[in-house]
Amino acid sequence: MTHTDFLDCRADARSDVGSRTVIARRALARRGNLLLFFIFSFFHFFIFEVSAQSPPMMDYSAPQEYVVKGVNIHGNKYYPEEMMRSVIGITDGQTVALPGDIVSQAIDKVWSMRFYSDVEITYTPDEEGGVVFDVYLTERPRVVRWRYEGTKKQEATDLADNLKLRPGSELSDYVLDKNKYLIKNYFADKGFRNAEVATRIENDTIVGNAVNVTFVVDKGEKVRIGEVVFDGNEQFKDRKLRKTFKKTNQVSLNFFKNNKFREEDFEADKENLLDFYNSKGYRNATILTDSIYPINPRRMGVYLKVDEGNKFYYRNVDWVGNTIYTTEMLDALLGVENGATYDRKSLHKRLGVGREINIEDNTTITALYQNKGYLMSKIEPAEVVVGVDSLDLEIKIFEGEQFTINNVAIRGNERVNDNVVRRELSTYPGEMYSRELIMNTIYRLGAMGHFNPENIIPDIQPVTNSLVDINWDLEEQPSDKLDISGGWGAGMFVGSVGVQLNNLSLKNFFKKSEWRPYPQGQNQQLAIRGQSNGQYYGAVSVSFTEPWLGQRRPHSLTIGGFYSAESNAYYIWQKATAHFRTMGISAGIGFRLNWPDQYFTLYTELGYQRYMLKNWTGFLMGTGNSNIFTLKTVFGRSSVSQPIYPRYGSDFSLSIQLTPPFSLMDGKDYDDPNLSDDDRYRWIEYHKWNLSGRFFHPLTTDQKLVLMARAEMGYLGHYNKNKLSPFEGFRIGGDGMTGYTLYGEDVVAMRGYGDSELVPIESQRINDNARVYSKYTLEVRYPFLLQPRSTIYGLVFAEAGNGFSSWQKFNPFQLKRAAGVGVRVFLPIVGMLGFDWAWGFDPPAGGTRRAGSDISFTIGTEF
């Protein structure tokens, strides 16, 4: 029974016994026996009145069963009654044992809903074995609106997203206190460590028993780290130790360094500090204590007391359990010599254990075993201290069994056919398990462009002691592109329409049922693009690529063609008196090479272009027809982690484009100044060399901050100095966004300088482009959003480059420099969009004043 039941029982007892007691007291008083009257009254007070204040003793060990005859709910206004009865869990006709846990359990269920500030349940049994329950509820006020005061609009949006406070939720001290704490932490992470948060609660004027809650924020001054002080350090100065901190930095002239204090960053930096000590041999270095303290309202200090301990050296290295690889081989890979300074971080990195596991690193001893099928192998280094400054290493290897791939499953590919995905896999059933093959598959799937590269993670499931299943759960992302745009270049507006289908299936082209909206599944690429501004300019191009020619080997076939025409009729009422027309076709075949490794490729292409000029300025020739027959070979290697936001890897290529040496075969005297342009340039000859390389390296452990370094150069050579090619030179400068496609020259973008501003002045005088160029770029990138449907990242960059009129004048150190900031937005339907602001530090070609500020836009291209 509850407290209310006890009171009901006590009332019944007093009504019965108490009435007889009152009669007895009145009788003694009438007889005049005052002594007996007082004695009787004393016993009555203690026996009936005092004892009535405590519940009568009940036997909880022998509860009785009752049948529920009703459950009455009082005070519930907003929550549906049927749902409330379901929560309480006591129903009519149910048999319950009383006293028992059913009442406390029901109270706990209702209380856990957090909608009520008070819950009370009583029950009243009857003489027929039935019982009626009464549930008394006091509802909490509901919050109609949550508001934020004293914050910026974006901060209020962030708080709403982080706190996830919804209209209609209940109001309680717990909710208010928890969210005030979270708001203070939010602003502390932004540097406002003295932020104060109060609440203002106002009754809602429309909804009953409802309120509006406003979090009133006083951010105060932004607090930065004024000093980082170390105590107990004898071997290294404070300045040296501060450099080990990545994000907990005191205020300095380097404004790129973070100087806001965050607990998570501080904990990570303490680990960095100990890693530094360990790498210098101080194995037992510890942080005895740390604290933060205020300096003034805008500055705080960080204090750390360290115990460096003794410097340790390696003595002996013993391997235990290795049967696959010899001790001598493992010693050579580990690279630890007797007497070398102790370095735990490097040791674990070479072993591939602990916090230094890096699945991309194929040089570790863990990778050595896993690449040979030993999936469950484990390496456990043990350190045995000898004396005060030496230690022996005992490295235990549990090799386990060699695993074979049992089953390979692919899930999530709705648009790309299974066989197309499987042919990109390097993991096949029946083959020996290899971590290297896993990484190669991740690279191949990401390079297809159809799947979110952030989520290509294999699910590796051992099924026996020697068999393993590999499941590839893929998340598809849009890969086709539609381009409807306009651009301004060369004093005109040009409209463009283009479509690029990256998952075409020609074999289903004539199957009406497969058009959804076009036949898909085979990863074939078709690109069609048209540009025009009227009668002045028009161009059309088309290309098709089959990535697996014959469907058996990864040999690609690419064919393409283009046509463009320009005239000097800028307006519709003008009649053209000059034109520059081009047309061309090409066919090439590409190969994936297995040597020197699987990342190498070779592409060979045959091409034919025809240039038709009439009274045209801008090239060495103005009137005539020129033909170019080329053989182009590209030898490259690409191991970048993904195409959109690479975090690691490299990309190198060497391209050679050759024409037949017609001047050595046609018997013409090209030294003759009277030779007509039509005869001199009927067949164009040259050899063209392009070399480029990119390198990506993560700067942080989460691999978000990435360094990109790039170098490239190009050279247009000749066979005969009197028969220079008027086409295929390099136009350097600007962003490459002319608005229309140019054939006959390579546009080399260079931020900080305008279009063609780095073409040598001597080349400009004879309507020529640069014959040689070089360009170097450094970028530091950080992502703001990495999602399948959009990727956004910012960057800071520095680059230098220049163009030269001949190889003799080429100087790789005579460069035009620039630096700036930019942002990139990748949208699958459009491609990569870019905006950059740059400052050119040097004058353009032929100029005397520095280039200064320059804004660049890019679509689908990369600097």
Side-chain angles (χ1 to χ4, degrees):
M1 290 185 179
T2 65
H3 182 65
T4 305
D5 301 319
F6 292 142
L7 293 181
D8 292 340
C9 294
R10 290 199 301 270
D12 294 340
R14 287 198 299 270
S15 64
D16 181 20
V17 180
S19 61
R20 293 195 297 269
T21 305
V22 171
I23 295 173
R25 286 193 298 176
R26 290 174 179 171
L28 290 172
R30 286 196 300 269
R31 293 173 185 173
N33 194 338
L34 295 178
L35 177 61
L36 291 176
F37 173 77
F38 284 116
I39 294 173
F40 193 88
S41 298
F42 175 80
F43 278 102
H44 171 268
F45 176 78
F46 278 97
I47 293 174
F48 293 104
E49 298 296 335
V50 176
S51 63
Q53 303 303 315
S54 301
M57 299 296 293
M58 298 191 67
D59 188 2
Y60 280 86
S61 63
Q64 299 182 14
E65 290 190 344
Y66 297 89
V67 177
V68 179
K69 291 186 174 180
V71 179
N72 303 317
I73 300 177
H74 311 276
N76 180 54
K77 296 181 181 179
Y78 298 103
Y79 202 76
E81 183 169 326
E82 290 303 318
M83 296 183 66
M84 176 56 65
R85 291 182 181 276
S86 176
V87 172
I88 294 171
I90 303 175
T91 59
D92 291 355
Q94 179 181 351
T95 300
V96 297
L98 298 172
D101 295 334
I102 190 169
V103 174
S104 61
Q105 291 174 356
I107 291 176
D108 288 342
K109 292 177 183 177
V110 177
W111 192 259
S112 66
M113 298 171 66
R114 301 192 307 178
F115 293 156
Y116 305 96
S117 59
D118 189 28
V119 181
E120 181 182 2
I121 300 179
T122 66
Y123 58 85
T124 305
D126 58 27
E127 296 179 354
E128 299 176 355
V131 63
V132 176
F133 288 86
D134 288 278
V135 181
Y136 299 92
L137 305 173
T138 303
E139 291 187 328
R140 296 185 189 274
R142 301 297 178 94
V143 180
V144 178
R145 291 182 182 88
W146 300 93
R147 299 189 178 102
Y148 306 92
E149 188 176 297
T151 64
K152 296 179 181 179
K153 184 177 180 180
Q154 185 59 48
E155 292 171 342
T157 301
D158 292 342
L159 289 173
D161 293 339
N162 295 338
L163 302 183
K164 293 180 172 52
L165 294 171
R166 300 289 181 260
S169 57
E170 80 285 353
L171 177 67
S172 68
D173 290 339
Y174 167 76
V175 172
L176 294 178
D177 291 342
K178 181 189 77 170
N179 287 285
K180 285 166 63 176
Y181 172 78
L182 294 175
I183 293 172
K184 291 186 69 174
N185 280 352
Y186 170 81
F187 284 105
D189 285 345
K190 289 182 170 292
F192 299 97
R193 297 196 61 81
N194 297 325
E196 296 293 335
V197 183
T199 54
R200 185 172 67 244
I201 302 174
E202 301 166 312
N203 291 327
D204 191 81
T205 57
I206 299 177
V207 182
N209 193 31
V211 297
N212 296 310
V213 176
T214 302
F215 291 100
V216 183
V217 180
D218 180 8
K219 294 189 286 188
E221 296 282 350
K222 182 171 283 190
V223 180
R224 302 185 185 277
I225 301 173
E227 59 183 14
V228 178
V229 179
F230 296 90
D231 186 14
N233 52 310
E234 298 177 356
Q235 302 299 326
F236 304 98
K237 296 181 179 180
D238 284 14
R239 183 178 179 182
K240 184 73 172 178
L241 298 182
R242 290 192 197 104
K243 290 183 178 180
T244 67
F245 283 6
K246 303 301 182 184
K247 295 186 177 180
T248 309
N249 305 295
Q250 65 184 32
V251 174
S252 67
L253 296 177
N254 187 351
F255 59 88
F256 288 110
K257 282 191 174 182
N258 175 60
N259 45 46
K260 293 178 292 187
F261 182 85
R262 296 181 70 245
E263 291 287 349
E264 294 180 0
D265 294 339
F266 184 48
E267 292 300 320
D269 281 336
K270 288 195 293 185
E271 292 293 333
N272 293 334
L273 176 64
L274 295 179
D275 285 345
F276 169 76
Y277 267 110
N278 291 159
S279 68
K280 300 300 181 182
Y282 295 90
R283 173 183 181 271
N284 297 329
T286 56
I287 299 174
L288 299 178
T289 183
D290 63 81
S291 61
I292 58 175
Y293 55 90
I295 299 176
N296 58 51
R298 301 182 63 182
R299 293 290 183 267
M300 62 175 289
V302 179
Y303 170 81
L304 300 99
K305 185 174 183 179
V306 299
D307 180 7
E308 296 176 326
N310 294 329
K311 186 172 184 178
F312 278 77
Y313 301 89
Y314 291 117
R315 201 178 68 158
N316 300 318
V317 178
D318 294 323
W319 299 86
V320 179
N322 57 303
T323 61
I324 308 301
Y325 299 104
T326 65
T327 297
E328 292 75 18
M329 181 178 179
L330 297 177
D331 280 338
L333 288 173
L334 187 63
V336 172
E337 298 180 357
N338 189 302
T341 301
Y342 172 82
D343 185 350
R344 179 184 300 165
K345 186 179 183 70
S346 296
L347 173 69
H348 286 186
K349 184 178 293 186
R350 293 170 187 171
L351 291 174
V353 299
R355 293 193 298 122
E356 304 305 321
I357 294 178
N358 182 1
I359 61 173
E360 288 91 22
D361 188 355
N362 249 342
T363 63
T364 67
I365 294 178
T366 296
L368 183 70
Y369 274 92
Q370 292 196 355
N371 286 338
K372 289 297 183 181
Y374 295 93
L375 172 63
M376 305 303 291
S377 61
K378 293 182 180 180
I379 299 177
E380 296 181 357
E383 301 172 358
V384 180
V385 176
V386 181
V388 296
D389 64 353
S390 300
L391 59 84
D392 292 340
L393 284 177
E394 184 180 78
I395 304 175
K396 299 178 181 178
I397 298 180
F398 303 92
E399 295 174 333
E401 297 291 332
Q402 202 171 27
F403 275 74
T404 301
I405 299 175
N406 177 57
N407 185 47
V408 178
I410 305 170
R411 296 187 288 261
N413 56 312
E414 300 294 334
R415 297 171 54 247
V416 185
N417 294 346
D418 274 2
N419 68 304
V420 174
V421 178
R422 286 190 179 276
R423 71 191 186 190
E424 300 294 340
L425 304 183
S426 300
T427 54
Y428 300 104
E431 287 202 6
M432 184 179 64
Y433 173 84
S434 170
R435 192 171 79 175
E436 184 177 9
L437 296 180
I438 293 288
M439 298 308 301
N440 187 46
T441 299
I442 293 175
Y443 166 74
R444 296 294 184 197
L445 293 175
M448 293 179 70
H450 301 299
F451 308 109
N452 180 12
E454 301 295 323
N455 292 333
I456 302 179
I457 303 174
D459 178 22
I460 301 173
Q461 296 292 338
V463 292
T464 67
N465 291 334
S466 60
L467 293 176
V468 60
D469 287 347
I470 301 176
N471 303 313
W472 295 96
D473 293 310
L474 305 175
E475 178 185 351
E476 287 189 331
Q477 64 180 12
S479 59
D480 298 329
K481 298 177 183 179
L482 174 65
D483 176 20
I484 302 177
S485 61
W488 183 267
M492 64 177 178
F493 178 83
V494 178
S496 301
V497 177
V499 61
Q500 182 174 334
L501 308 178
N502 291 315
N503 190 29
L504 186 66
S505 176
L506 282 186
K507 72 175 185 179
N508 295 324
F509 194 82
F510 297 103
K511 297 180 181 179
K512 185 178 179 180
S513 61
E514 297 295 328
W515 283 75
R516 300 188 305 270
Y518 66 89
Q520 304 180 53
Q522 291 299 117
N523 196 35
Q524 296 164 340
Q525 291 94 46
L526 175 66
I528 303 173
R529 184 178 180 85
Q531 297 174 292
S532 178
N533 84 323
Q535 66 175 1
Y536 172 76
Y537 170 76
V540 62
S541 63
V542 60
S543 67
F544 172 79
T545 299
E546 166 57 71
W548 280 65
L549 185 62
Q551 305 299 314
R552 293 186 178 183
R553 295 181 180 273
H555 302 333
S556 64
L557 172 66
T558 301
I559 56 176
F562 66 87
Y563 174 81
S564 72
E566 297 177 61
S567 71
N568 62 347
Y570 283 89
Y571 304 104
I572 191 171
W573 58 83
Q574 290 181 322
K575 184 178 181 180
T577 59
H579 65 250
F580 171 40
R581 298 169 183 168
T582 60
M583 62 169 291
I585 57 174
S586 62
I589 187 169
F591 302 90
R592 293 183 191 173
L593 306 180
N594 293 321
W595 185 90
D597 61 35
Q598 69 272 18
Y599 298 112
F600 279 87
T601 59
L602 180 65
Y603 176 77
T604 302
E605 177 186 277
L606 289 175
Y608 170 76
Q609 297 91 38
R610 181 174 176 82
Y611 297 91
M612 296 157 282
L613 288 77
K614 177 183 178 181
N615 301 326
W616 196 257
T617 60
F619 295 98
L620 289 175
M621 63 176 289
T623 300
N625 298 325
S626 297
N627 303 277
I628 304 179
F629 183 76
T630 59
L631 173 64
K632 182 179 180 180
T633 298
V634 181
F635 181 69
R637 183 186 188 274
S638 178
S639 62
V640 294
S641 58
Q642 55 167 282
I644 306 302
Y645 189 77
R647 289 178 168 85
Y648 56 87
S650 59
D651 185 357
F652 299 95
S653 68
L654 172 62
S655 170
I656 305 173
Q657 189 172 5
L658 306 171
T659 68
F662 296 106
S663 63
L664 302 180
M665 300 181 294
D666 59 12
K668 294 181 180 180
D669 182 10
Y670 290 96
D671 192 27
D672 182 3
N674 297 318
L675 190 66
S676 67
D677 286 349
D678 190 49
D679 288 333
R680 187 182 301 273
Y681 299 119
R682 181 171 299 152
W683 287 97
I684 303 299
E685 63 178 27
Y686 61 82
H687 52 93
K688 188 175 183 179
W689 305 71
N690 289 90
L691 178 65
S692 66
R694 294 186 303 166
F695 173 76
F696 298 90
H697 180 72
L699 300 178
T700 55
T701 54
D702 61 4
Q703 296 190 345
K704 288 188 175 181
L705 188 67
V706 176
L707 171 68
M708 189 280 289
R710 178 173 56 235
E712 58 182 283
M713 70 164 294
Y715 169 58
L716 178 64
H718 56 270
Y719 303 115
N720 188 324
K721 65 179 181 178
N722 297 310
K723 186 177 171 61
L724 301 179
S725 170
F727 309 110
E728 301 302 323
F730 307 104
R731 186 163 64 88
I732 307 164
D735 54 18
M737 293 293 293
T738 61
Y740 61 100
T741 302
L742 289 174
Y743 297 99
E745 58 187 12
D746 285 358
V747 178
V748 180
M750 177 72 186
R751 290 168 285 193
Y753 299 88
D755 291 340
S756 304
E757 285 190 349
L758 299 186
V759 175
I761 193 67
E762 58 267 32
S763 297
Q764 297 182 34
R765 289 175 181 151
I766 59 173
N767 294 324
D768 198 5
N769 285 314
R771 300 274 162 169
V772 189
Y773 87 94
S774 63
K775 178 183 169 185
Y776 314 93
T777 303
L778 281 177
E779 283 185 1
V780 177
R781 303 174 174 182
Y782 187 82
F784 304 127
L785 181 65
L786 293 174
Q787 296 294 336
R789 296 188 177 274
S790 60
T791 296
I792 304 175
Y793 65 88
L795 56 90
V796 295
F797 66 86
E799 65 184 11
N802 205 358
F804 305 89
S805 59
S806 65
W807 182 261
Q808 290 73 18
K809 295 184 178 181
F810 173 60
N811 184 349
F813 303 105
Q814 183 182 333
L815 304 171
K816 306 294 185 179
R817 302 160 299 165
V821 297
V823 65
R824 296 290 182 272
V825 178
F826 177 80
L827 301 174
I829 197 68
V830 177
M832 187 70 77
L833 306 177
F835 170 83
D836 293 279
W837 173 85
W839 181 268
F841 296 104
D842 300 295
T848 57
R849 300 179 59 183
R850 64 178 58 182
S853 178
D854 182 68
I855 294 177
S856 302
F857 297 92
T858 60
I859 299 179
T861 58
E862 184 178 359
F863 284 98

